[in-house]
Amino acid sequence: MTLATIISTANLSTLLDSAFQQETPLVNSSESELGEPLQHFDSPADIMAKAAECAKAGIHNYAFGFWYPSMKGHSVERKIILDPPREGKSFRYSLAGWGIINLHLYFTPPNTMQCRISVNSEARALSRQDRYPDLGPAADWDWRVVESYAFRLSRQLASMGRTVPVGQKPAPAKRPSPWKRK
């Protein structure tokens, strides 16, 4: 089971500020809107604005991909052909790369969200690189740096709140059973 941390908008802002502290990452949407290119985000404020837009529009989840220059390797924008087309659109783009750090947001209105960070391990990337030659060799990535950034962000996220299963609404407080003897 994958777990997400319940955080506030203020916590997200703090997490994003820390993601930009040591070096400036290139940040893209993990998946584009139908028929559109991937969105690029230059700052924590840009990411916060997108998160607010998604929450206001009632979008259930949104993901961002972070690539830091010191991680080396490269990211790929894949064009996904939709067959059959959806909503009159025949394609969308997705972001891929062995060491891309993904920040997933699951909106739980009114003022919280579930947040999780995911990234491939070096072993997982090496075991799958023959299936996805367009991503290049997994050895091109500096895995020590990838793991350092992912661990630092995950550790900070874990300190911000309680964890719940991804995509689930937080469970209501448990009521005592009316059938138990007092």
Side-chain angles (χ1 to χ4, degrees), residues 1 24 27 29 36 45 69 79 86 94 103 106 108 116 133 136 150 161:
M1 175 186 333
T24 302
V27 183
S29 53
E36 299 292 327
K79 187 173 187 178
R86 289 183 21 208
S94 71
L103 173 69
Y106 301 87
T108 53
R116 77 178 169 99

Side-chain angles (χ1 to χ4, degrees), residues 50-68:
K50 182 62 179 182
E53 176 187 319
C54 290
K56 184 177 180 180
I59 295 172
H60 181 257
N61 64 316
Y62 197 85
F64 302 89
F66 288 70
W67 176 81
Y68 293 89

Side-chain angles (χ1 to χ4, degrees), residues 53-166:
E53 176 187 319
C54 290
K56 184 177 180 180
I59 295 172
H60 181 257
N61 64 316
Y62 197 85
F64 302 89
F66 288 70
W67 176 81
Y68 293 89
S70 63
M71 294 190 320
K72 301 178 181 162
H74 69 280
S75 62
V76 175
E77 291 187 26
R78 291 178 168 160
K79 187 173 187 178
I80 309 298
I81 303 301
L82 304 172
D83 186 19
R86 289 183 21 208
E87 300 174 22
K89 309 291 183 174
S90 62
F91 69 93
R92 78 173 347 145
Y93 289 93
S94 71
L95 181 68
W98 293 120
I100 298 292
I101 298 171
N102 292 292
L103 173 69
H104 301 267
L105 303 178
Y106 301 87
F107 301 101
T108 53
N111 298 317
T112 62
M113 63 193 78
Q114 295 180 43
C115 181
R116 77 178 169 99
I117 293 168
S118 66
V119 65
N120 279 319
S121 67
E122 180 178 16
R124 185 174 196 274
L126 288 169
S127 72
R128 288 168 171 73
Q129 69 183 348
D130 292 340
R131 285 189 231 162
Y132 305 103
D134 60 320
L135 298 182
D140 286 354
W141 292 80
D142 185 333
W143 289 98
R144 184 187 57 76
V145 175
V146 171
E147 290 169 6
S148 175
Y149 273 113
F151 180 73
R152 186 172 58 83
L153 292 171
S154 294
R155 186 177 62 229
Q156 182 167 4
L157 178 61
S159 73
M160 293 178 162
R162 66 183 177 88
T163 58
V164 295
V166 171

